[in-house]
Structure formats: structure tokens, C-alpha cells
Amino acid sequence: MSIVSTGPDPVLDALVHAACLAADTPIGLITLLDGERQWFKSKRGIEGDRSRRADAFCDYTIRSSRPFVVPDAARDVRFAENPFVTGSNRIRFYAGVPLEIEPGLRLGSLCVLDQVPRRLGADVRGLLDRLARCAVERLL
């Protein structure tokens, strides 16, 4: 059975909730990516359960082992025309940490989003990184 189809997980939901509280954002996700889609394994503050990978901020996150932060997506050439930015979600801020199950193998991200531009302090980035490691342990 695919991990995507295992249903809600209260531990992952709690990690997303903690990430939203730490970053003071209304939206949080644990995502998993395949070749064409981004799946929302756990979510808070957003509708749906997946999106096209081509539209996923998390696709950029998994390209590195470091956190990926977009302070204002409407002013970022990579995302200004993205449907998450221009559509009903109106995403402006994104911060994601890759879910790295072994060096170089990243399957998704733990991320927080907001509808207003913002910055993220080093302390919150560190906490998001620790929460992402907890999510990886849970997924494994």
C-alpha cells in the first residue's frame, strides 16, 4: 500500500499544527511528491489533497537539503504566475524543509504558507527543521 493512501495520521497532523504555531501561519502541509503530483499527506488551512507538481513550491524545496523560503511569491519571478499565488489561495509566503529520508533522497516537505509576505527567523527555521525530521521518522 502506498503511503499516500494510508489516510490521516494524527502525529503528522500534530507536526503540521506545531509548524503553523511556530511560524504563526494559517497554512501548513506535509507533502509527498511523485513524478507528476504533489500529495498533501497532512494539511491545515488549505483545501484539496493534491496539486500538479509543476505548481508545487515544494518541488523547489526538495532540490536541496536546506530550507527553501519565498518571502513574497508575488514578487518572485518563479512564482508570480503560479496558480497558488494568483488563484483563490493567494499565497504570498512559503517556507519549506525537505523530508530527506537519506542523504540526497528527498520525498516531500514540511512547509508553512501565508497570504501575506513575511520573513522567518533562524529560530523558527531550526524548529521547522526538527519537525521535518520528526515527520521523516513517522513516515519511515
Side-chain angles (χ1 to χ4, degrees):
M1 174 168 32
S2 166
I3 193 167
V4 179
S5 62
T6 57
D9 182 315
V11 172
L12 296 178
D13 292 344
L15 293 172
V16 167
H17 183 76
C20 288
L21 288 175
D24 192 27
T25 61
I27 303 167
L29 299 163
I30 289 176
T31 67
L32 302 170
L33 285 85
D34 67 15
E36 297 181 16
R37 290 172 302 274
Q38 167 182 249
W39 302 92
F40 303 158
K41 180 62 183 155
S42 181
K43 65 180 181 171
R44 177 183 173 91
I46 197 165
E47 294 299 316
D49 61 357
R50 68 182 147 243
S51 73
R52 294 178 341 130
R53 183 172 177 157
D55 299 331
F57 285 70
C58 298
D59 186 46
Y60 287 83
T61 303
I62 66 169
R63 296 178 190 183
S64 167
S65 61
R66 300 174 48 94
F68 178 69
V69 179
V70 180
D72 187 346
R75 294 179 178 261
D76 188 308
V77 67
R78 295 169 294 185
F79 303 106
E81 299 300 319
N82 184 292
F84 282 107
V85 177
T86 61
S88 62
N89 291 306
R90 297 259 183 246
I91 299 303
R92 295 290 295 273
F93 169 78
Y94 171 91
V97 178
L99 302 178
E100 190 164 41
I101 59 172
E102 60 184 57
L105 182 56
R106 300 172 204 101
L107 55 102
S109 75
L110 174 121
C111 59
V112 291
L113 306 95
D114 204 341
Q115 295 172 324
V116 295
R118 59 174 47 227
R119 300 270 177 210
L120 200 62
D123 56 338
V124 176
R125 284 184 197 217
L127 180 55
L128 293 178
D129 186 59
R130 289 191 295 280
L131 292 171
R133 286 196 304 262
C134 291
V136 167
E137 289 300 318
R138 180 66 173 182
L139 290 167
L140 292 177

